[in-house]
Amino acid sequence: MSISIEATDQLLTTTRSVRKRLDFSRPVEPEVIEKCIEIAVQAPTGSNQQGWAFVVVTDAEKKKALADLYRKGAEIYITMPQPERADDDLRTQQRPRITASSMYLLEHMHEAPALLIPCIQGRVETLPQFAQASTYGSILPAAWSFMLAARARGLGAAWTTIHLFYEKDAAKILGIPHDYTQAALLPVAYFKGETFKPAKRIPPKQLTYWNGWGETR
Ligand SMILES: Cc1cc2nc3c(=O)[nH]c(=O)nc-3n(C[C@H](O)[C@H](O)[C@H](O)COP(=O)(O)O)c2cc1C
């Protein structure tokens, strides 16, 4: 079976961080989440370790506890220095919209029908860079595949990391073993509306070097 380039490109360019358009009132079938995880584990892992774990949280009290950690994390995050950028920088212009959207999620995180924490076996704190890259590189592709598979099924998710300021507390709530690293926290819900547009990004030509740093084609 050949894969349609158009459909593939549309999926890849319109899988957004969905926050305001998450439909908190519509339940998500556990089977759909399980199917997305089944697809996610087709992603590669370093040394074929397959050390993934996907913790799906639907219990209201646990979601609330995680959302509280997320909010506490946000209190730290907003005190951290942000990069200074020119007024006409694309990222400066996108910032108010992303901030508003993030504030909305902050208040509603616990309402998501499911929160997903993708985890990987191993801890990165004391590892050399090769092993750090291999550890995160063995979970982030799978987590992104989950988001893509979810998007194809009408589910939105937002990639978030702010609860990781309190990773140990989250591990305690969910009984995640000490030797597992949490990589993200994805609120998952059916999205409202039909379409997502490709985002404006820094032109890829400005980010692509051929045969040496700074060299163009
Ligand atoms: C590593 C990483 C961490 C992120 N952490 C958060 C977060 O904690 N909270 C949040 O609202 N969005 C978070 N985001 C989402 C980004 O802010 C988002 O990708 C950006 O706003 C661009 O939006 P788009 O993905 O819809 O194009 C994170 C994204 C990545 C890749």
Side-chain angles (χ1 to χ4, degrees):
M1 186 186 70
S2 68
I3 299 172
S4 152
I5 291 178
E6 286 78 12
T8 307
D9 289 358
Q10 200 199 358
L11 177 71
L12 292 170
T13 57
T14 63
T15 302
R16 300 263 74 80
S17 296
V18 187
R19 303 185 187 92
K20 286 187 173 174
R21 284 174 55 188
L22 296 173
D23 187 348
F24 298 133
S25 64
R26 184 171 165 196
V28 176
E29 306 82 353
E31 296 77 17
V32 183
I33 292 181
E34 283 166 356
K35 181 69 192 175
C36 294
I37 293 172
E38 187 186 322
I39 291 166
V41 299
Q42 291 296 317
T45 53
S47 308
N48 194 27
Q49 60 180 272
Q50 302 189 32
W52 317 278
F54 299 88
V55 185
V56 185
V57 185
T58 56
D59 175 88
E61 267 181 37
K62 289 181 179 174
K63 284 193 296 183
K64 167 94 174 43
L66 291 173
D68 287 346
L69 294 181
Y70 185 80
R71 268 186 291 275
K72 269 173 62 179
E75 283 167 20
I76 300 175
Y77 178 77
I78 56 171
T79 65
M80 294 170 72
Q82 297 297 320
E84 292 283 332
R85 296 197 177 105
D87 287 349
D88 62 354
D89 188 294
L90 173 68
R91 292 161 293 184
T92 309
Q93 290 161 3
Q94 290 175 334
R95 199 155 169 186
R97 181 177 48 78
I98 292 173
T99 303
S101 166
S102 301
M103 293 307 290
Y104 175 86
L105 181 63
L106 201 64
E107 285 162 22
H108 295 275
M109 179 69 98
H110 61 286
E111 295 175 43
L115 300 177
L116 171 70
I117 300 189
C119 304
I120 186 74
Q121 194 167 25
R123 297 294 313 178
V124 295
E125 290 89 341
T126 55
L127 295 178
Q129 206 224 340
F130 154 79
Q132 288 181 24
S134 300
T135 302
Y136 280 118
S138 296
I139 186 61
L140 302 186
W144 182 240
S145 288
F146 176 93
M147 277 185 65
L148 294 168
R151 159 85 176 96
R153 287 163 177 75
L155 291 170
W159 194 290
T160 82
T161 44
I162 283 176
H163 90 284
L164 294 174
F165 283 108
Y166 294 97
E167 187 199 9
K168 284 200 169 65
D169 299 83
K172 216 173 188 176
I173 292 164
L174 300 170
I176 296 173
H178 296 306
D179 62 331
Y180 275 76
T181 297
Q182 299 168 47
L185 169 66
L186 312 181
V188 180
Y190 281 101
F191 54 73
K192 295 185 265 187
E194 287 301 315
T195 53
F196 288 99
K197 286 187 290 206
K200 286 201 180 107
R201 297 285 200 234
I202 298 168
K205 263 192 189 277
Q206 287 179 25
L207 311 169
T208 310
Y209 306 137
W210 290 83
N211 300 314
W213 190 264
E215 291 181 35
T216 55
R217 188 163 71 87

